[in-house]
Protein backbone atom coordinates (compact mmCIF):
# COMPACT_ATOMS: atom_id res chain seq x y z
CA UNK A 1 0.00 0.00 0.00
CA UNK A 2 2.23 2.78 -1.25
CA UNK A 3 1.22 6.29 -0.40
CA UNK A 4 0.59 8.17 -3.59
CA UNK A 5 -0.63 11.62 -2.73
CA UNK A 6 -1.25 13.89 0.16
CA UNK A 7 -2.84 17.28 0.06
CA UNK A 8 -1.15 20.34 1.59
CA UNK A 9 0.73 19.64 4.81
CA UNK A 10 -1.09 20.41 8.06
CA UNK A 11 -0.78 24.06 9.00
CA UNK A 12 -0.32 23.19 12.66
CA UNK A 13 -0.86 20.05 14.67
CA UNK A 14 -4.32 20.07 16.20
CA UNK A 15 -5.66 22.53 13.64
CA UNK A 16 -6.40 19.87 11.06
CA UNK A 17 -8.76 16.99 10.48
CA UNK A 18 -7.22 14.09 8.57
CA UNK A 19 -9.40 11.91 6.40
CA UNK A 20 -8.28 8.86 4.41
CA UNK A 21 -8.94 7.38 1.01
CA UNK A 22 -8.09 3.85 -0.08
CA UNK A 23 -8.36 3.31 -3.83
CA UNK A 24 -6.95 1.49 -6.84
CA UNK A 25 -4.66 4.24 -8.12
CA UNK A 26 -2.79 1.67 -10.25
CA UNK A 27 -3.65 -1.76 -11.66
CA UNK A 28 -6.45 -3.14 -13.76
CA UNK A 29 -9.07 -0.72 -12.45
CA UNK A 30 -6.91 2.38 -12.00
CA UNK A 31 -9.67 4.69 -13.24
CA UNK A 32 -11.77 3.62 -10.22
CA UNK A 33 -9.24 4.98 -7.72
CA UNK A 34 -8.00 7.94 -9.72
CA UNK A 35 -11.43 9.39 -10.49
CA UNK A 36 -12.59 8.83 -6.92
CA UNK A 37 -9.52 10.63 -5.61
CA UNK A 38 -10.17 13.52 -8.01
CA UNK A 39 -13.72 13.85 -6.70
CA UNK A 40 -12.59 13.70 -3.06
CA UNK A 41 -9.88 16.31 -3.66
CA UNK A 42 -12.41 18.71 -5.16
CA UNK A 43 -14.55 18.37 -2.04
CA UNK A 44 -11.51 18.88 0.23
CA UNK A 45 -10.40 22.00 -1.64
CA UNK A 46 -13.89 23.45 -1.48
CA UNK A 47 -14.32 22.90 2.24
CA UNK A 48 -10.87 24.32 2.96
CA UNK A 49 -11.69 27.45 0.95
CA UNK A 50 -14.67 27.85 3.28
CA UNK A 51 -12.32 27.69 6.28
CA UNK A 52 -12.56 23.92 6.79
CA UNK A 53 -14.79 22.21 9.34
CA UNK A 54 -15.17 23.65 12.84
CA UNK A 55 -12.35 25.99 11.91
CA UNK A 56 -9.97 23.14 11.09
CA UNK A 57 -8.48 22.47 7.67
CA UNK A 58 -9.11 19.05 6.14
CA UNK A 59 -6.07 17.01 5.11
CA UNK A 60 -6.45 14.04 2.77
CA UNK A 61 -4.24 10.94 2.90
CA UNK A 62 -4.61 8.59 -0.06
CA UNK A 63 -3.17 5.08 -0.29
CA UNK A 64 -3.01 2.95 -3.41
CA UNK A 65 -4.25 -0.61 -2.89
CA UNK A 66 -3.19 -1.67 -6.41
CA UNK A 67 -6.60 -3.27 -6.84
CA UNK A 68 -5.89 -5.93 -4.17
CA UNK A 69 -8.19 -6.66 -1.21
CA UNK A 70 -5.21 -7.50 1.08
CA UNK A 71 -3.58 -4.17 0.28
CA UNK A 72 -6.86 -2.35 0.86
CA UNK A 73 -6.98 -3.86 4.37
CA UNK A 74 -3.33 -2.95 5.07
CA UNK A 75 -3.93 0.62 3.89
CA UNK A 76 -7.04 0.95 6.09
CA UNK A 77 -5.08 -0.18 9.14
CA UNK A 78 -2.33 2.30 8.34
CA UNK A 79 -4.85 5.14 8.02
CA UNK A 80 -6.44 4.48 11.40
CA UNK A 81 -3.35 3.54 13.44
CA UNK A 82 -0.62 5.69 11.91
CA UNK A 83 -2.36 8.61 10.23
CA UNK A 84 -5.09 8.86 12.88
CA UNK A 85 -7.84 9.63 10.40
CA UNK A 86 -11.26 10.60 11.71
CA UNK A 87 -13.01 8.82 8.84
CA UNK A 88 -11.87 7.04 5.71
CA UNK A 89 -13.40 6.69 2.24
CA UNK A 90 -13.32 3.87 -0.30
CA UNK A 91 -13.36 1.53 -2.04
CA UNK A 92 -15.07 1.29 -5.40
CA UNK A 93 -14.76 -2.49 -5.78
CA UNK A 94 -16.92 -4.48 -3.38
CA UNK A 95 -14.30 -7.19 -2.80
CA UNK A 96 -11.96 -4.51 -1.47
CA UNK A 97 -14.56 -2.69 0.63
CA UNK A 98 -15.51 -6.04 2.18
CA UNK A 99 -11.85 -6.46 3.19
CA UNK A 100 -11.71 -2.92 4.65
CA UNK A 101 -14.89 -2.91 6.75
CA UNK A 102 -13.71 -5.02 9.70
CA UNK A 103 -10.89 -2.51 10.31
CA UNK A 104 -13.40 0.31 10.70
CA UNK A 105 -15.39 -1.71 13.24
CA UNK A 106 -12.46 -2.93 15.30
CA UNK A 107 -10.93 0.57 15.54
CA UNK A 108 -14.24 2.44 15.86
CA UNK A 109 -13.38 4.75 12.96
CA UNK A 110 -16.15 5.18 10.37
CA UNK A 111 -15.67 4.15 6.76
CA UNK A 112 -17.82 5.33 3.86
CA UNK A 113 -17.70 3.34 0.65
CA UNK A 114 -18.35 5.59 -2.28
CA UNK A 115 -19.31 3.00 -4.87
CA UNK A 116 -19.34 -0.60 -3.59
CA UNK A 117 -22.76 -2.04 -4.23
CA UNK A 118 -22.56 -5.60 -2.85
CA UNK A 119 -24.79 -5.97 0.25
CA UNK A 120 -22.00 -7.70 2.23
CA UNK A 121 -20.05 -4.43 2.56
CA UNK A 122 -22.40 -3.18 5.27
CA UNK A 123 -24.14 -6.39 6.34
CA UNK A 124 -23.06 -9.98 5.82
CA UNK A 125 -25.96 -12.23 6.81
CA UNK A 126 -26.53 -11.46 10.49
CA UNK A 127 -23.19 -9.68 10.82
CA UNK A 128 -23.76 -5.94 10.78
CA UNK A 129 -20.94 -3.42 10.40
CA UNK A 130 -21.74 -0.56 12.76
CA UNK A 131 -18.93 1.70 11.45
CA UNK A 132 -19.41 1.04 7.72
CA UNK A 133 -21.63 3.11 5.41
CA UNK A 134 -22.06 3.74 1.71
CA UNK A 135 -23.43 6.58 -0.43
CA UNK A 136 -24.53 4.35 -3.33
CA UNK A 137 -27.43 1.96 -3.91
CA UNK A 138 -26.97 -1.80 -3.52
CA UNK A 139 -27.05 -4.65 -6.03
CA UNK A 140 -30.43 -6.20 -5.21
CA UNK A 141 -31.85 -2.89 -6.51
CA UNK A 142 -29.45 -2.65 -9.45
CA UNK A 143 -30.17 -6.28 -10.43
CA UNK A 144 -33.90 -5.58 -10.29
CA UNK A 145 -33.50 -2.48 -12.45
CA UNK A 146 -31.74 -4.42 -15.21
CA UNK A 147 -33.99 -7.49 -14.94
CA UNK A 148 -37.07 -5.29 -15.35
CA UNK A 149 -35.42 -3.42 -18.17
CA UNK A 150 -34.66 -6.72 -19.94
CA UNK A 151 -38.06 -8.32 -19.31
CA UNK A 152 -40.39 -5.32 -19.55
CA UNK A 153 -38.75 -2.68 -21.74
CA UNK A 154 -36.93 -5.04 -24.08
CA UNK A 155 -39.33 -8.01 -23.80
CA UNK A 156 -36.42 -10.46 -23.65
CA UNK A 157 -37.37 -14.00 -22.64
CA UNK A 158 -33.98 -15.74 -22.81
CA UNK A 159 -30.82 -14.26 -21.36
CA UNK A 160 -27.36 -15.80 -20.83
CA UNK A 161 -25.00 -14.69 -18.05
CA UNK A 162 -21.21 -14.32 -17.93
CA UNK A 163 -19.94 -13.64 -14.43
CA UNK A 164 -16.50 -12.89 -12.99
CA UNK A 165 -16.28 -15.58 -10.30
CA UNK A 166 -13.40 -13.87 -8.47
CA UNK A 167 -15.40 -10.68 -7.90
CA UNK A 168 -18.01 -10.41 -5.12
CA UNK A 169 -19.81 -7.65 -7.00
CA UNK A 170 -20.12 -9.63 -10.22
CA UNK A 171 -21.25 -12.83 -8.52
CA UNK A 172 -23.82 -10.98 -6.42
CA UNK A 173 -25.25 -8.90 -9.24
CA UNK A 174 -25.53 -11.95 -11.54
CA UNK A 175 -27.57 -13.70 -8.85
CA UNK A 176 -29.84 -10.73 -8.07
CA UNK A 177 -30.51 -10.26 -11.78
CA UNK A 178 -31.24 -13.97 -12.23
CA UNK A 179 -33.74 -14.09 -9.37
CA UNK A 180 -35.69 -11.08 -10.59
CA UNK A 181 -35.58 -12.03 -14.27
CA UNK A 182 -37.00 -15.50 -13.50
CA UNK A 183 -39.64 -13.99 -11.25
CA UNK A 184 -40.71 -11.88 -14.25
CA UNK A 185 -41.07 -15.03 -16.35
CA UNK A 186 -37.68 -14.97 -18.08
CA UNK A 187 -35.30 -17.87 -18.58
CA UNK A 188 -31.54 -17.92 -17.96
CA UNK A 189 -30.34 -20.17 -20.79
CA UNK A 190 -26.79 -20.50 -19.46
CA UNK A 191 -24.48 -19.02 -16.81
CA UNK A 192 -20.74 -19.21 -17.46
CA UNK A 193 -17.74 -17.83 -15.63
CA UNK A 194 -14.47 -15.99 -16.24
CA UNK A 195 -11.88 -14.28 -14.08
CA UNK A 196 -10.55 -10.71 -14.15
CA UNK A 197 -7.32 -10.68 -16.10
CA UNK A 198 -8.49 -13.32 -18.62
CA UNK A 199 -7.84 -12.31 -22.22
CA UNK A 200 -9.56 -15.05 -24.17
CA UNK A 201 -13.27 -15.68 -23.74
CA UNK A 202 -13.86 -17.65 -26.95
CA UNK A 203 -14.48 -20.98 -25.20
CA UNK A 204 -17.30 -19.54 -23.05
CA UNK A 205 -18.72 -17.55 -25.96
CA UNK A 206 -18.72 -20.53 -28.32
CA UNK A 207 -20.65 -22.51 -25.73
CA UNK A 208 -23.14 -19.65 -25.33
CA UNK A 209 -23.57 -19.11 -29.05
CA UNK A 210 -25.62 -22.30 -29.49
CA UNK A 211 -28.05 -21.28 -26.72
CA UNK A 212 -29.74 -18.53 -28.74
CA UNK A 213 -29.94 -16.01 -25.94
CA UNK A 214 -31.63 -12.74 -26.87
CA UNK A 215 -29.18 -10.84 -24.65
CA UNK A 216 -26.08 -11.44 -22.50
CA UNK A 217 -25.96 -10.09 -18.96
CA UNK A 218 -22.30 -9.41 -18.11
CA UNK A 219 -21.98 -7.77 -14.69
CA UNK A 220 -18.19 -7.31 -14.67
CA UNK A 221 -15.66 -4.49 -14.81
CA UNK A 222 -15.11 -2.53 -18.01
CA UNK A 223 -11.86 -4.09 -19.25
CA UNK A 224 -13.10 -7.67 -19.50
CA UNK A 225 -16.62 -6.65 -20.53
CA UNK A 226 -15.29 -4.74 -23.54
CA UNK A 227 -12.99 -7.60 -24.55
CA UNK A 228 -15.82 -10.12 -24.21
CA UNK A 229 -18.03 -7.96 -26.44
CA UNK A 230 -15.35 -7.73 -29.13
CA UNK A 231 -14.74 -11.46 -29.14
CA UNK A 232 -18.49 -12.12 -29.24
CA UNK A 233 -18.79 -10.02 -32.41
CA UNK A 234 -15.81 -11.85 -33.94
CA UNK A 235 -17.69 -15.10 -33.35
CA UNK A 236 -20.76 -13.67 -35.06
CA UNK A 237 -22.82 -13.28 -31.89
CA UNK A 238 -25.28 -10.42 -32.40
CA UNK A 239 -27.20 -10.49 -29.11
CA UNK A 240 -26.95 -7.18 -27.21
CA UNK A 241 -25.10 -6.97 -23.91
CA UNK A 242 -26.54 -5.79 -20.60
CA UNK A 243 -24.58 -4.86 -17.50
CA UNK A 244 -24.19 -2.78 -14.37
CA UNK A 245 -22.14 0.06 -12.94
CA UNK A 246 -18.85 -1.84 -13.35
CA UNK A 247 -18.97 -0.84 -17.01
CA UNK A 248 -18.92 2.87 -16.29
CA UNK A 249 -15.60 4.17 -17.59
CA UNK A 250 -14.35 6.02 -20.67
CA UNK A 251 -12.05 3.02 -21.11
CA UNK A 252 -15.07 0.80 -21.82
CA UNK A 253 -15.54 2.52 -25.18
CA UNK A 254 -11.82 2.74 -25.95
CA UNK A 255 -11.48 -1.02 -25.60
CA UNK A 256 -14.86 -1.99 -27.10
CA UNK A 257 -14.34 0.02 -30.30
CA UNK A 258 -18.06 -0.19 -31.11
CA UNK A 259 -18.60 -3.83 -30.12
CA UNK A 260 -21.02 -2.73 -27.37
CA UNK A 261 -23.39 -0.82 -29.63
CA UNK A 262 -26.94 -1.73 -28.63
CA UNK A 263 -25.91 -2.47 -25.03
CA UNK A 264 -27.48 -1.06 -21.86
CA UNK A 265 -26.09 -0.75 -18.35
CA UNK A 266 -27.22 0.72 -15.05
CA UNK A 267 -25.09 3.20 -13.14
CA UNK A 268 -25.15 6.06 -10.65
CA UNK A 269 -25.15 9.20 -12.76
CA UNK A 270 -25.27 10.53 -16.29
CA UNK A 271 -23.31 13.55 -17.50
CA UNK A 272 -26.38 14.36 -19.63
CA UNK A 273 -28.43 15.05 -16.51
CA UNK A 274 -29.37 18.71 -16.93
CA UNK A 275 -30.06 19.47 -13.26
CA UNK A 276 -27.99 22.42 -12.02
CA UNK A 277 -26.22 20.45 -9.28
CA UNK A 278 -24.89 17.96 -11.86
CA UNK A 279 -23.94 20.54 -14.47
CA UNK A 280 -22.20 22.78 -11.92
CA UNK A 281 -20.18 19.79 -10.70
CA UNK A 282 -19.19 18.86 -14.25
CA UNK A 283 -17.97 22.41 -14.87
CA UNK A 284 -15.88 22.38 -11.67
CA UNK A 285 -14.46 18.93 -12.39
CA UNK A 286 -13.57 19.87 -15.96
CA UNK A 287 -11.88 23.03 -14.70
CA UNK A 288 -9.71 20.99 -12.37
CA UNK A 289 -8.99 17.85 -14.41
CA UNK A 290 -9.90 18.70 -17.99
CA UNK A 291 -12.23 15.71 -18.34
CA UNK A 292 -15.89 14.87 -17.79
CA UNK A 293 -16.33 13.05 -14.45
CA UNK A 294 -17.41 9.41 -14.45
CA UNK A 295 -19.53 7.83 -11.72
CA UNK A 296 -16.57 7.36 -9.36
CA UNK A 297 -15.59 11.03 -9.51
CA UNK A 298 -19.14 11.97 -8.58
CA UNK A 299 -19.48 9.39 -5.81
CA UNK A 300 -16.06 10.25 -4.35
CA UNK A 301 -17.18 13.87 -4.12
CA UNK A 302 -20.49 12.89 -2.51
CA UNK A 303 -18.85 10.47 -0.04
CA UNK A 304 -16.43 13.19 1.09
CA UNK A 305 -19.22 15.74 1.52
CA UNK A 306 -21.40 13.33 3.50
CA UNK A 307 -18.39 12.77 5.77
CA UNK A 308 -17.81 16.53 6.12
CA UNK A 309 -21.46 17.23 6.95
CA UNK A 310 -21.30 14.52 9.64
CA UNK A 311 -18.04 15.83 11.12
CA UNK A 312 -19.61 19.26 11.26
CA UNK A 313 -22.67 17.91 13.10
CA UNK A 314 -20.76 15.51 15.39
CA UNK A 315 -20.79 16.39 19.09
CA UNK A 316 -17.04 15.82 19.30
CA UNK A 317 -14.21 14.87 16.97
CA UNK A 318 -14.15 11.16 17.72
CA UNK A 319 -14.81 8.19 15.47
CA UNK A 320 -17.84 7.26 17.55
CA UNK A 321 -19.41 10.72 17.37
CA UNK A 322 -18.78 11.02 13.63
CA UNK A 323 -20.22 7.54 13.12
CA UNK A 324 -23.38 8.55 15.00
CA UNK A 325 -23.72 11.65 12.81
CA UNK A 326 -23.19 9.75 9.54
CA UNK A 327 -25.94 7.35 10.58
CA UNK A 328 -28.36 10.30 10.72
CA UNK A 329 -27.73 11.28 7.07
CA UNK A 330 -31.11 12.13 5.56
CA UNK A 331 -32.07 13.93 2.36
CA UNK A 332 -28.49 14.99 1.63
CA UNK A 333 -28.49 16.59 -1.84
CA UNK A 334 -25.55 14.93 -3.58
CA UNK A 335 -24.50 15.15 -7.21
CA UNK A 336 -25.39 11.46 -7.56
CA UNK A 337 -28.86 12.06 -6.16
CA UNK A 338 -30.47 12.54 -2.76
CA UNK A 339 -28.77 10.43 -0.11
CA UNK A 340 -30.74 8.98 2.78
CA UNK A 341 -29.16 6.11 4.68
CA UNK A 342 -31.40 3.19 5.64
CA UNK A 343 -31.06 1.04 8.76
CA UNK A 344 -28.39 -1.09 7.06
CA UNK A 345 -26.33 2.04 6.20
CA UNK A 346 -27.11 1.86 2.48
CA UNK A 347 -28.21 4.81 0.38
CA UNK A 348 -31.67 4.48 -1.11
CA UNK A 349 -31.58 6.35 -4.43
CA UNK A 350 -32.29 6.11 -8.13
CA UNK A 351 -30.21 4.44 -10.82
CA UNK A 352 -29.76 5.59 -14.39
CA UNK A 353 -29.72 3.35 -17.44
CA UNK A 354 -27.25 4.20 -20.21
CA UNK A 355 -27.57 2.90 -23.76
CA UNK A 356 -24.54 2.55 -26.05
CA UNK A 357 -24.92 3.98 -29.55
CA UNK A 358 -22.08 4.42 -32.03
CA UNK A 359 -19.64 3.70 -29.19
CA UNK A 360 -21.05 6.52 -27.05
CA UNK A 361 -23.01 6.06 -23.82
CA UNK A 362 -26.34 7.91 -23.90
CA UNK A 363 -28.80 8.50 -21.08
CA UNK A 364 -31.80 6.18 -21.50
CA UNK A 365 -33.79 6.26 -18.25
CA UNK A 366 -33.83 7.07 -14.54
CA UNK A 367 -35.25 4.33 -12.32
CA UNK A 368 -36.38 5.16 -8.79
CA UNK A 369 -36.27 2.60 -5.96
N1 LIG B 1 -20.34 -1.27 -7.79
C1 LIG B 1 -19.09 -1.89 -8.13
C2 LIG B 1 -18.67 -2.84 -7.03
O1 LIG B 1 -19.30 -2.89 -6.02
C3 LIG B 1 -18.01 -0.89 -8.36
C4 LIG B 1 -18.34 0.22 -9.29
C5 LIG B 1 -19.01 1.35 -8.86
C6 LIG B 1 -17.98 0.15 -10.57
C7 LIG B 1 -19.34 2.38 -9.71
C8 LIG B 1 -18.29 1.16 -11.43
C9 LIG B 1 -18.99 2.30 -11.02
O2 LIG B 1 -17.72 -3.56 -7.12
Amino acid sequence: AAETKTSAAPSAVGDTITIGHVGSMTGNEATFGQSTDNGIKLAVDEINKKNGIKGKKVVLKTYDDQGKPEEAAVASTRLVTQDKVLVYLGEVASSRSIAMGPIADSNKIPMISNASTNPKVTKDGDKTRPFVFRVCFIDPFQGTVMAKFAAENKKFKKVAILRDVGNDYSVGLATFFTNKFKELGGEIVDDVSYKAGDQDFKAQLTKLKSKNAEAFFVPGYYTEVALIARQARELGIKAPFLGGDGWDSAKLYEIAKGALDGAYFSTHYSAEDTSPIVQEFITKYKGAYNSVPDAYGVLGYDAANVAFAAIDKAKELTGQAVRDAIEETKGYKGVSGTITLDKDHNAVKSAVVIGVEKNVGKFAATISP
Side-chain angles (χ1 to χ4, degrees), residues 299-335:
L299 288 165
Y301 181 79
D302 282 353
N305 281 321
V306 164
F308 298 161
I311 296 171
D312 192 43
K313 264 190 284 167
K315 292 200 187 73
E316 49 181 13
L317 293 180
T318 60
Q320 181 69 51
V322 174
R323 185 218 87 93
D324 294 347
I326 297 172
E327 195 165 50
E328 301 294 297
T329 302
K330 247 190 230 90
Y332 179 85
K333 296 262 180 282
V335 178

Side-chain angles (χ1 to χ4, degrees), residues 128-145:
T128 55
R129 296 235 161 269
F131 282 76
V132 183
F133 302 86
R134 75 179 108 211
V135 293
C136 55
F137 53 66
I138 57 173
D139 289 330
F141 170 63
Q142 184 169 205
T144 297
V145 165

Side-chain angles (χ1 to χ4, degrees), residues 32 91-97 113-118 121 134 136-137 139 142 167-170 173 220-222 244-249 266-268 294-296 299:
F32 284 8
E91 236 269 5
V92 169
S94 288
S95 297
R96 300 194 281 273
S97 291
S113 170
N114 45 316
S116 289
T117 46
N118 187 281
V121 172
R134 75 179 108 211
C136 55
F137 53 66
D139 289 330
Q142 184 169 205
N167 177 331
D168 288 303
Y169 155 76
S170 186
L173 188 50
Y221 292 154
Y222 56 86
D245 59 348
W247 289 26
D248 197 345
S249 171
S266 49
T267 188
H268 307 264
D294 50 25
Y296 334 108
L299 288 165

Side-chain angles (χ1 to χ4, degrees), residues 57-73:
K57 292 267 182 229
V58 175
V59 175
L60 171 67
K61 271 268 179 188
T62 296
Y63 287 112
D64 176 18
D65 61 32
Q66 302 151 33
K68 298 175 188 156
E70 324 79 73
E71 288 295 325

